[in-house]
Amino acid sequence: ASSRFPPASWAIGWARDERDSALVPTTGKYQRANVEWAVAGDARYVRTNLQYQQYFALSPRFTLGLNAEAGIGKGIGSRPYPLFKNYYAGGLGSVRAFEQGSLGPVDVTGTYIGGSKKLNLNAELYVPVPGSGNDKTLRIFGFADAGNVWASPEKTDLADMRASAGFGLSWISPVGPLKLSLGTPI
């Protein structure tokens, strides 16, 4: 049975990948933009997510990778931005050394509820494992991360950014890419 009603939300995305490798990049850039627009139903909002990555070959053995990701969501009309669309930060994929989703606003019970705005910044310096030659499937890296999420009425103050630094091991294993990181909040 097909519906005669238009969809409640639309999403459009764009990406451009100019890296020399998707798994072990040493040069190039990756750009991505997504917009989600919900115009019908109880939840009416617009949500945008932007990402930019750049890789620099500092030498045949050393690579610097930079990543920036920003997102913002807003309720449409008099509708509030829906909580189930909130961004989260902290942990894998954002600011390592913090628990997953543990940055940003909390409710009265102390539960992290995320926010309608986010910013993540990451830097990684990759070096080959000593004795492995120029094999890029097994690398050691140092990292520095910063980021946070903010709620809509709250002012986005970059002084509230949380940061971490550490090191890790990256391995392109037979079952897929693996990363182990050990860091500390700073």
Side-chain angles (χ1 to χ4, degrees):
S2 66
S3 172
R4 293 183 185 261
F5 298 106
S9 68
W10 287 278
I12 188 167
W14 170 85
R16 171 179 258 162
D17 192 348
E18 297 175 346
R19 299 172 295 179
D20 60 342
S21 168
L23 293 177
V24 287
T26 58
T27 61
K29 62 186 171 185
Y30 173 78
Q31 304 162 76
R32 178 179 57 85
N34 295 316
V35 176
E36 184 179 353
W37 185 31
V39 295
D42 291 333
R44 295 183 187 182
Y45 62 91
V46 64
R47 185 176 198 253
T48 302
N49 199 42
L50 307 168
Q51 183 178 18
Y52 182 86
Q53 292 179 350
Q54 181 78 48
Y55 292 89
F56 303 93
L58 303 177
S59 75
R61 299 172 53 90
F62 293 84
T63 300
L64 175 65
L66 303 175
N67 178 66
E69 189 173 2
I72 187 164
K74 183 170 177 31
I76 295 175
S78 61
R79 309 272 174 131
Y81 184 71
L83 288 174
F84 64 87
K85 286 295 185 175
N86 273 353
Y87 295 103
Y88 292 88
L92 185 64
S94 64
V95 186
R96 292 166 276 197
F98 288 92
E99 283 189 44
Q100 196 71 32
S102 67
L103 300 182
V106 295
D107 67 9
V108 294
T109 66
T111 302
Y112 294 100
I113 58 170
S116 60
K117 298 176 272 186
K118 80 168 179 178
L119 178 63
N120 284 330
L121 305 170
N122 314 94
E124 293 181 333
L125 177 63
Y126 290 96
V127 300
V129 170
S132 68
N134 205 20
D135 180 12
K136 291 181 175 46
T137 62
L138 184 63
R139 303 184 293 177
I140 299 170
F141 63 90
F143 71 86
D145 298 338
N148 209 341
V149 296
W150 296 268
S152 267
E154 182 181 312
K155 182 181 178 224
T156 306
D157 188 354
L158 296 181
D160 294 335
M161 297 273 283
R162 304 296 303 271
S164 66
F167 62 93
L169 180 69
S170 174
W171 178 38
I172 307 302
S173 77
V175 295
L178 299 173
K179 260 188 180 179
L180 301 171
S181 301
L182 180 61
T184 185
I186 51 175

